[in-house]
Amino acid sequence: MENITIAYPTSDITPLDSTSNMTTEYYEDYVKSPLDYFTLVVYSLAFLLGTTGNGLVIWFTIFKMKKTVNVIWFLNLSIADFTFTAFLPISIIYLANDFNWVLGTFMCKLNSFVAFINLFASVFLLTVISIDRCISVIFPVWCQNHRTPRRSVFVVIGVWILAIIFSLPYFIFRDTYEEYNVVTCYNNFVFEYSSDIGRSRHEGTVIVRFIVGFLIPFTIVVFCYTVIAVRIRRNHMTTSTKPFKVIIAVIIAFFGCWLPYHIFSFLELHSIYREDEYLASETRLGIPLTSSLAFVNSVVNPFLYVFIGRDFKDKYWRSIQSIFEKAFIEDSTHNDLKSKTKSTSDSNVV
């Protein structure tokens, strides 16, 4: 039987992320490994917990809570995570069917497209939240007059537009390939990784994803929270730490879950174009694991919203609505600074 070489998808947040070139014999003799079963379990749990947790956040923030700026930020984070986890059954079907894609080319494209919209929307929103907190600390009076839910909606719209733009390559290049009744959903950069055009497109997507979806946002986030910490310490400000802890926890969870994925994406590039068989075998193991870790990020956020910075017994006896309201309560940093300034002025008058 003739061997076929497929330009395999590699780093696209689905169970099909293997760096090896598949052959028809491989497909016919394919037997699920323990890693495949582990991935199935992780994806199934992520779907159940992610849709339930994020669905609750969406319901309460839309129907039960006042539309403050913080609520709008976290609502959109939950929408991104909910949409992502809602599509997980597609990946589960693909893996359960021994990597034989049965849902057609459009769903192959859409599945990857949605996954990366989640990535970019989440990281852009976390960056916006960090900038928003920084501005609230540095310019409290300005924020009191100009930081409004209506303006935050326009910012959120811009975030989603950018996320869609940066995710378009994963819709355009995603394709299906059928050989001997086996259909693969993969990145059709030009069919062959040996092609200069295909290689440059593959490298470009990985590099842009890392720079735009991780490096720049991470730098901005670290800078903003460094400024916040210095400003709070310098002014001896007593702030409400509840929303601050939630934001810090969400950011740590996001970057902690996604950094391994970006690292293995670059290792994967190296293994493909340098034809490093040892590294290829390592990435075949690492990509599914790091993709699973990235999935987990969409599950943990709702729990962080509720449980960070609060006494568990106290939360247990509160209503769910009250928990969410207190988790998203607006930070009083700018009010504390304003009060401190007023107190200083009054003492000088006396």
Side-chain angles (χ1 to χ4, degrees):
M1 185 177 290
E2 177 186 4
N3 289 351
I4 59 171
T5 299
I6 300 175
Y8 220 56
T10 63
S11 52
D12 268 28
I13 326 250
T14 60
L16 54 100
D17 297 336
S18 170
T19 57
S20 62
N21 292 323
M22 292 297 188
T23 64
T24 51
E25 286 90 344
Y26 179 90
Y27 277 115
E28 290 180 352
D29 298 334
Y30 182 78
V31 178
K32 287 188 179 65
S33 67
L35 179 60
D36 293 328
Y37 288 107
F38 171 79
T39 304
L40 275 172
V41 171
V42 172
Y43 289 9
S44 300
L45 289 176
F47 167 70
L48 293 174
L49 297 177
T51 52
T52 302
N54 288 292
L56 283 173
V57 173
I58 292 170
W59 189 81
F60 277 111
T61 51
I62 290 178
F63 298 107
K64 297 294 183 178
M65 297 176 65
K66 181 180 179 181
K67 299 304 179 291
T68 64
V69 174
N70 274 357
V71 167
I72 292 172
W73 299 148
F74 288 107
L75 168 62
N76 282 271
L77 271 175
S78 294
I79 291 174
D81 290 335
F82 178 85
T83 305
F84 177 65
T85 53
F87 271 73
L88 281 179
I90 296 176
S91 297
I92 294 171
I93 292 171
Y94 190 37
L95 178 55
N97 201 36
D98 296 339
F99 301 106
N100 183 21
W101 187 265
V102 295
L103 299 176
T105 301
F106 177 77
M107 289 305 297
C108 171
K109 291 176 175 289
L110 185 63
N111 190 42
S112 182
F113 184 53
V114 169
F116 284 100
I117 287 180
N118 164 264
L119 164 63
F120 288 113
S122 295
V123 74
F124 292 163
L125 283 167
L126 291 173
T127 305
V128 167
I129 291 172
S130 301
I131 296 172
D132 173 57
R133 308 318 300 154
C134 188
I135 294 175
S136 296
V137 170
I138 298 175
F139 307 107
V141 177
W142 183 89
C143 285
Q144 191 173 21
N145 298 324
H146 298 89
R147 183 177 177 267
T148 63
R150 186 171 182 271
R151 289 181 175 175
S152 68
V153 169
F154 287 110
V155 173
V156 164
I157 292 173
V159 164
W160 282 106
I161 291 174
L162 285 176
I164 291 172
I165 291 173
F166 282 108
S167 301
L168 280 176
Y170 304 98
F171 185 87
I172 295 171
F173 294 121
R174 204 70 171 171
D175 202 355
T176 56
Y177 179 89
E178 182 175 2
E179 185 79 11
Y180 298 98
N181 297 320
V182 174
V183 181
T184 304
C185 176
Y186 74 113
N187 281 330
N188 186 4
F189 289 117
V190 178
F191 291 105
E192 295 290 342
Y193 278 123
S194 58
S195 165
D196 290 338
I197 295 177
R199 175 174 178 171
S200 62
R201 286 175 175 174
H202 186 193
E203 290 176 341
T205 56
V206 172
I207 292 171
V208 169
R209 182 170 65 220
F210 174 72
I211 293 176
V212 177
F214 190 88
L215 184 61
I216 293 176
F218 184 72
T219 303
I220 294 174
V221 167
V222 170
F223 173 79
C224 287
Y225 280 98
T226 300
V227 171
I228 291 172
V230 170
R231 189 61 178 258
I232 290 176
R233 184 171 183 178
R234 179 184 301 170
N235 292 278
H236 304 288
M237 296 160 58
T238 57
T239 65
S240 172
T241 61
K242 296 168 188 175
F244 190 82
K245 287 182 178 180
V246 171
I247 294 167
I248 290 293
V250 169
I251 289 170
I252 292 175
F254 180 88
F255 288 109
C257 289
W258 281 98
L259 178 58
Y261 172 77
H262 288 290
I263 291 174
F264 271 88
S265 294
F266 281 104
L267 292 176
E268 180 186 68
L269 273 177
H270 182 83
S271 69
I272 291 172
Y273 300 123
R274 297 295 180 87
E275 298 182 355
D276 188 329
E277 291 298 329
Y278 174 77
L279 188 58
S281 65
E282 295 298 317
T283 55
R284 276 195 295 270
L285 176 64
I287 287 293
L289 292 176
T290 55
S291 297
S292 298
L293 182 61
F295 285 4
V296 170
N297 178 250
S298 297
V299 177
V300 300
N301 282 344
F303 296 95
L304 294 177
Y305 302 156
V306 175
F307 293 112
I308 291 296
R310 313 194 59 82
D311 180 74
F312 179 80
K313 292 182 180 179
D314 184 46
K315 292 195 300 289
Y316 180 81
W317 295 108
R318 294 178 186 274
S319 67
I320 296 178
Q321 179 181 343
S322 176
I323 292 174
F324 279 110
E325 287 176 347
K326 291 183 180 299
F328 292 130
I329 188 171
E330 289 290 338
D331 192 3
S332 60
T333 299
H334 60 280
N335 292 329
D336 290 339
L337 183 59
K338 184 178 179 182
S339 300
K340 178 179 176 62
T341 303
K342 185 177 183 301
S343 300
T344 304
S345 300
D346 292 341
S347 62
N348 291 336
V349 172
V350 175

